[in-house]
Amino acid sequence: MSIFTQNVNPITGITVWEERDPNYDYYQEIARAAFADMLHDHERNHKYYLALKAAIDKKHEAGEQAHVLDIGTGTGLLSMMAAKCGADIITACETFRPMAECAKKIIEKNKLEKQIQLIYKRSTKIVINGFSPLLTDADDLPRKANILVTEVFDTELIGEGALSTFKHALDFLLEDDPVVVPSCGTIWVQIVDSPTVRNWNRVNPVNSVTSGETLIEVPEVAQSCSGASAVHDIQLSQLPQDSFTPLTDPIPIFKFDWTGSSSLDYNEHVVLPIKTLTEGTAHAVFMWWHLDMDMDSKIQLSCAPVWAHPDVQKEIKDGKPYKELADKIPWRDHWMQAVYYFPNDLNVTPSEEVLLVASHDEYSFWYSLEKKKKGIENFKRPMCECCIHLAFSRTRIGQLNDVSRNDKYLKAISKKVTPDTVCLVISDSSLLGLSIAKMGIKKLYILESNPLSQKTVKLFIEKNGLTEIVSVIESADDLPPPSEITLIFAEPFHVTSILPWDNFYHWYLASKYPASIPRIPQRAVMKAVAMEFKDLHKIRAPLGICEGFDLTIFDELVQSSSLRADSPVEAQPLWEYPGRALSNVFTLADVNFCSKAEEHAKIESSCQVPIVVDGSCNGIAIWVDWHLDDEICVSSGPVEEIVPGSRVSWDWYSRQGVHLLSNITQVSNKNVVVSAFAFNAREGLFEFSFNVK
């Protein structure tokens, strides 16, 4: 029996009822729990194993039994490692029941069920025998453990509740003087000058291509806004070496002792006097962390970006480029690095001492850089006051600041506008759309149906004195009549869009108007290329045998759930994920926006694309080229021509579509990619199929 869910199609804007498997939510939850990329992390696995062995040996050498408590066991990998290392008692807990049931089967398949007790609970709900009316002998610990192993870390280290997890375990579940794996974690920060990175956080004015004059000024509230409080997780090693200037060396700012030797505080506030290495403008803090895996700090795991990673320091000193060395350090999508933006840009010099202010609560961090001590004791978490950071992703803010992209749009617009132009803008908070109002036109209508986007664009309208010439339309039902409009413009961008082609939404609204009305863009071409990703495929790749243990049950669970719940194409910022092209670029569809969407029953294509260079084909990258007119094109894909066999350079300010192949294939020029594509334009539905033969 099926169930029906109500969803809004982002392309058509129409609410539809979709037939789903009755266990859709269950499958989606399991698919979202996929953490195969973490289990592909051999360094992580190996160092956990070494630290566990050291912990168990330490207890045995002291004449004690080794009783291991594994919190958040997931697949059961760490518990099975503990068994391999000779632990006497192993208790594993996992609160996510589908994963706990999977772990049970994995443990049984590896014939370790007699050595590992599995508790289907959150660790904070576990009680020691005799201390709870809810106790059942089969569920809880008979006595306290003397070794704790857990991996409850995220990009911010503490974002998954690590502080409360360790604190509760130390207070209630562990003996005095336990061995804890890992034993401590250290937060490292580095202050940088980087207009490139700043572009993801602070909106810049829009300037004219020809005269250079400012077309759209930024409201004061946006210029001084602290920005979003949420961390910006990013693969810092993929930033070009010339895109930032370090103003300090890496600085250890917080240390968390997981062993209980010193207190674990949920709230800390640090003020650190520093002098910068060079003159510059402090825009942001780069952050990462490292773990001391064992009690003696001999086994260490670092999440540092390439220039600060301990494994490549000799090569860094020898002057080797970051891009070359990035391939030598472990890749992690589960533990990236992070960027935190200062509430205000601060000019610094080596001769002047400044104060780095750092704070954290139970789950997150925030930072500021000040020249005076006054008021810093009341430094609070940054909160967005301008609405821009609430309305838009950081990718979109970066897109707003992309001068090259903006110039192309402004050139195309300038060809169309006259003093009699009445323009309809169909994009969310389009500063380029507002720029048209500064080009001497008669009237501009801008559709803003999203409340946050609407609030944002009204700020810009008021700041730039455009209240008389610009009318904000709050619903697609209230669009002006066709007789009034002489130009239709879209960037295109909509806050509901995830994949590049979700932005076709403007086409459906523009289809209410005669095809004779000029429009920008005129058409969209969907393109694709066969790829060999260096690491990205690991987020979906099966594990098989992992560190000597059979985890195929986990593979089967996640992959079967993903087939039921996931789209075959997902959005990824591919500039963060190195990969080289194995084929030439091929076209999936060419969509003419001057036609009406309802006139197209289905747009289909099929082809066999030859593989040009040898490699491992593990994915297909898909993007959209927006043809503004017959001469100007803006791509959401590559920023340079794709050359088979070479690394692809992707647009920083767009997410591309990626189809990751379930079967990774070694290919040569004897192979082809068989592509089948269908776009039901009337219903706004896409179908993709890619196979390697």
Side-chain angles (χ1 to χ4, degrees), residues 91 117-119 121 127-143:
T91 307
Q117 177 196 6
L118 184 61
I119 301 174
K121 279 188 177 182
V127 293
I128 305 302
N129 192 11
F131 285 87
S132 170
L134 301 177
L135 176 69
T136 59
D137 290 338
D139 284 345
D140 293 69
L141 286 171
R143 59 182 174 83

Side-chain angles (χ1 to χ4, degrees), residues 506-523:
H506 76 91
W507 183 32
Y508 290 81
L509 297 180
S511 291
K512 298 179 181 181
Y513 293 86
S516 58
I517 297 177
R519 54 203 67 194
I520 303 171
Q522 292 181 352
R523 48 191 271 264

Side-chain angles (χ1 to χ4, degrees), residues 4 10 21 69 135 151 160 191 203 268 295 297 318 324 360 369 463 489 533 551 555:
F4 291 86
D21 186 292
L69 172 61
L135 176 69
E151 195 282 89
E160 291 185 0
I191 300 170
V203 176
E268 288 185 275
M295 302 290 280
S297 300
D318 291 341
E324 178 183 331
H360 77 80
L369 198 64
K463 169 64 180 177
F489 173 78
F533 292 110
L551 297 189
D555 294 336

Side-chain angles (χ1 to χ4, degrees), residues 4-265:
F4 291 86
T5 59
Q6 192 176 31
N7 299 288
V8 176
N9 185 309
I11 301 171
T12 63
I14 298 173
T15 300
V16 295
W17 289 92
E18 295 183 5
E19 187 176 5
R20 301 284 194 185
D21 186 292
N23 295 314
Y24 173 75
D25 289 342
Y26 168 84
Y27 293 127
Q28 189 176 51
E29 205 171 358
I30 293 173
R32 293 288 71 75
F35 41 81
D37 70 290
M38 182 170 65
L39 295 172
H40 279 292
D41 185 347
H42 175 70
E43 184 196 41
R44 165 199 175 272
N45 298 342
H46 182 59
K47 289 186 174 179
Y48 261 99
Y49 174 81
L50 292 177
L52 266 170
K53 188 175 187 310
I56 292 165
D57 289 348
K58 185 171 185 176
K59 287 301 180 185
H60 285 166
E61 288 167 4
E64 301 177 45
Q65 280 192 324
H67 181 182
V68 176
L69 172 61
D70 175 9
I71 293 179
T73 194
T75 60
L77 179 63
L78 298 182
S79 287
M80 292 190 295
M81 286 181 176
K84 187 176 180 179
C85 291
D88 302 287
I89 304 171
I90 305 166
T91 307
C93 68
E94 174 58 54
T95 186
F96 183 43
R97 193 168 189 88
M99 192 55 63
E101 291 172 349
C102 178
K104 181 177 184 293
K105 294 175 183 177
I106 289 172
I107 290 167
E108 290 173 351
K109 185 162 188 175
N110 287 277
K111 303 186 185 308
L112 294 170
E113 67 274 16
K114 293 182 179 179
Q115 295 169 255
I116 301 170
Q117 177 196 6
L118 184 61
I119 301 174
Y120 291 39
K121 279 188 177 182
R122 186 182 299 275
S123 65
T124 53
K125 300 297 183 182
I126 292 176
V127 293
I128 305 302
N129 192 11
F131 285 87
S132 170
L134 301 177
L135 176 69
T136 59
D137 290 338
D139 284 345
D140 293 69
L141 286 171
R143 59 182 174 83
K144 292 184 177 181
N146 58 13
I147 297 174
L148 171 65
V149 63
T150 186
E151 195 282 89
V152 286
F153 309 117
D154 67 350
T155 290
E156 287 194 282
L157 186 67
I158 61 174
E160 291 185 0
L163 288 172
S164 58
T165 298
F166 279 101
K167 189 172 179 59
H168 179 271
L170 290 165
D171 290 345
F172 299 104
L173 305 179
L174 300 176
E175 294 179 358
D176 295 337
D177 193 28
V179 178
V180 180
V181 179
S183 65
C184 76
T186 303
I187 301 292
W188 290 79
V189 296
Q190 187 170 29
I191 300 170
V192 299
D193 178 327
S194 179
T196 300
V197 169
R198 182 187 183 275
N199 279 346
W200 280 307
N201 187 60
R202 201 64 63 83
V203 176
N204 298 326
V206 179
N207 297 320
S208 168
V209 183
T210 53
S211 67
E213 67 175 314
T214 298
L215 293 174
I216 298 296
E217 295 181 356
V218 180
E220 286 76 9
V221 66
Q223 294 174 15
S224 59
C225 182
S226 297
S229 59
V231 64
H232 184 186
D233 53 342
I234 194 171
Q235 300 282 3
L236 282 181
S237 292
Q238 298 307 317
L239 283 176
Q241 197 165 345
D242 60 359
S243 67
F244 65 95
T245 300
L247 297 178
T248 66
D249 290 324
I251 303 167
I253 195 77
F254 291 111
K255 186 171 184 177
F256 301 101
D257 186 341
W258 309 127
T259 70
S261 297
S262 57
S263 63
L264 283 174
D265 297 324

Side-chain angles (χ1 to χ4, degrees), residues 393-432:
S393 67
R394 291 188 172 94
T395 299
R396 171 57 176 168
I397 293 173
Q399 193 176 75
L400 292 172
N401 293 326
D402 187 346
V403 174
S404 173
R405 172 184 173 277
N406 291 350
D407 284 354
K408 290 181 179 180
Y409 275 102
L410 292 173
K411 286 178 182 177
I413 292 167
S414 65
K415 297 178 183 180
K416 299 289 185 182
V417 298
T418 70
D420 295 324
T421 294
V422 178
C423 181
L424 170 63
V425 177
I426 308 175
S427 287
D428 289 331
S429 280
S430 173
L431 301 189
L432 291 170

